[in-house]
Amino acid sequence: MAVLKNFDSEIERIGGVLAAMRDALGPACILLAETARGLILPDEEDLAAEAERLAAEMPERQAIEAAMARLVADLATEIDVSAREFDNRDLPTRLETLIGYMSRAAKYRRQQARWRSPAPLNRLAELLRRADRLAGLVKSERNFLIGQRRDSEGDLVTLIDHRPEIIDKLRGDDGTAMTGLDIIGRTEPAIKVFQDFVAGLNARVGTCNILLHKLITDTENLLILYRMVADASRQGDAGLKPELFPHLAPEIERFSNGMLTLHGLDRRRYRADQAFAERFPARETADAGGGAGGFRLPTIFGFKLIRSR
């Protein structure tokens, strides 16, 4: 229960920070749009303030991205643990071993009860719920950033394409208002601020893509494991409906229709894990969670039918 509350509270915290960061993009977007529309450079003070804001925001942005990555990595680890438990389900527990010394029949009955217990399937359903919330968080951020990037890139292209007109306005009608190095000193820093802004949006979209790619490949593994556990325990998967997991609806639907297969999954999982590990070193992500140690990225999916080769 504590883990459940911690996950949900962390999702809420991250969502709040992301919402605030979206709002903070507003002034820069407006400044760029107005500059592109009027072809008149902003005041140097406004540009300097925006450049300072972009620099000051970077550590907070990196921290919240690392926090999202920690949740994705923790989910992957729990999936891996569940898979290994399923792999080793035929091994008796310590209690079952002790019972076996007195009665093999009693040991077998206890094993049968464990295999048919709804607990493992309930745990996997909870992991799917977390994956759905994570997917919703990342997809929402990604969709917003893509829309903002599209608009801001268009404004930046307009600004660069009309640079000669901006320069003419700086020179004045008689060509003496501003010349030479003064013009370069006004135009280039302004364009650089806006280029850095758009580049930052693009980097954020890339980060969301990396998080989402890993999350979806891990979720596909989780769904396959769910089916295997359900079959082994002789429980159906009727409760696994797309409407229960709105942010994973395509994956759930493919699973329900029998279209989710192992073909190519190991290769995609390897690429997703590699990109994730390169973008989020273990120490950085562990620090985001406040823990003393790092996490282990599971590069091999535990149960035998899906183990990477």
Side-chain angles (χ1 to χ4, degrees):
M1 184 61 69
V3 173
L4 175 61
K5 290 182 178 179
N6 289 341
F7 173 85
D8 288 332
S9 63
E10 182 68 352
I11 284 285
E12 295 298 329
R13 182 187 75 83
I14 292 173
V17 174
L18 290 177
M21 287 184 169
R22 293 172 192 170
D23 292 340
L25 292 175
C29 298
I30 294 173
L31 192 64
L32 175 53
E34 290 178 345
T35 302
R37 183 169 57 249
L39 300 180
I40 298 176
L41 294 181
D43 293 337
E44 292 182 271
E45 293 79 6
D46 292 338
L47 281 171
E50 184 55 31
E52 183 178 351
R53 187 197 67 78
L54 289 174
E57 183 195 48
M58 184 61 67
E60 185 180 14
R61 181 70 195 187
Q62 291 174 338
I64 208 65
E65 288 176 344
M68 288 191 288
R70 178 178 58 83
L71 292 182
V72 172
D74 287 347
L75 181 68
T77 299
E78 291 199 53
I79 295 171
D80 192 57
V81 169
S82 295
R84 294 184 187 282
E85 288 177 353
F86 179 77
D87 236 6
N88 297 324
R89 67 192 183 283
D90 291 333
L91 297 178
T93 64
R94 292 181 181 179
L95 180 57
E96 289 166 354
T97 300
L98 291 175
I99 293 175
Y101 290 139
M102 296 177 287
S103 170
R104 290 187 178 181
K107 172 186 173 183
Y108 179 74
R109 287 194 300 270
R110 191 171 186 87
Q111 283 182 312
Q112 288 287 311
R114 174 166 58 85
W115 292 337
R116 295 179 182 178
S117 168
L121 210 58
N122 290 341
R123 180 184 180 188
L124 297 181
E126 167 58 21
L127 294 182
L128 278 170
R129 186 192 71 84
R130 296 186 202 175
D132 184 72
R133 289 208 67 182
L134 266 172
L137 181 77
V138 178
K139 286 181 179 180
S140 175
E141 177 70 0
R142 180 178 178 272
N143 291 340
F144 171 82
L145 291 171
I146 287 176
Q148 192 59 72
R149 181 185 63 180
R150 180 183 60 249
D151 295 341
S152 296
E153 279 184 343
D155 290 334
L156 180 61
V157 169
T158 298
L159 182 61
I160 293 174
D161 287 346
H162 291 81
R163 187 184 314 196
E165 297 173 45
I166 296 175
I167 292 175
D168 286 342
K169 290 183 179 181
L170 289 174
R171 284 175 175 163
D173 295 336
D174 57 1
T176 60
M178 187 177 291
T179 60
L181 294 177
D182 290 335
I183 292 177
I184 296 176
R186 283 283 286 122
T187 58
E188 299 310 310
I191 290 176
K192 184 179 185 305
V193 170
F194 293 132
Q195 285 177 327
D196 289 346
F197 172 67
V198 173
L201 291 175
N202 193 55
R204 295 179 185 186
V205 171
T207 295
C208 289
N209 287 338
I210 290 172
L211 290 171
L212 199 57
H213 188 197
K214 175 165 177 56
L215 179 59
I216 293 304
T217 54
D218 288 337
T219 299
E220 290 177 349
N221 271 335
L222 175 56
L223 286 167
I224 294 172
L225 175 60
Y226 187 99
R227 169 61 56 79
M228 297 177 70
V229 172
D231 290 346
S233 60
R234 300 180 184 178
Q235 301 180 50
D237 53 14
L240 206 60
K241 299 177 181 179
E243 57 268 25
L244 298 178
F245 308 94
H247 306 296
L248 296 174
E251 290 73 30
I252 300 291
E253 188 170 358
R254 289 201 303 273
F255 167 80
S256 300
N257 294 333
M259 298 174 63
L260 189 61
T261 67
L262 302 179
H263 180 69
L265 183 57
D266 277 349
R267 184 170 60 254
R268 287 187 290 110
R269 178 180 167 84
Y270 173 78
R271 289 200 300 265
D273 282 351
Q274 186 177 44
F276 183 84
E278 290 174 357
R279 176 61 183 83
F280 296 104
R283 182 181 300 278
E284 174 186 328
T285 314
D287 290 344
F295 63 85
R296 178 180 60 82
L297 287 177
T299 56
I300 298 178
F301 200 67
F303 55 86
K304 294 181 175 65
L305 292 181
I306 306 183
R307 182 175 295 128
S308 300
R309 300 297 181 186

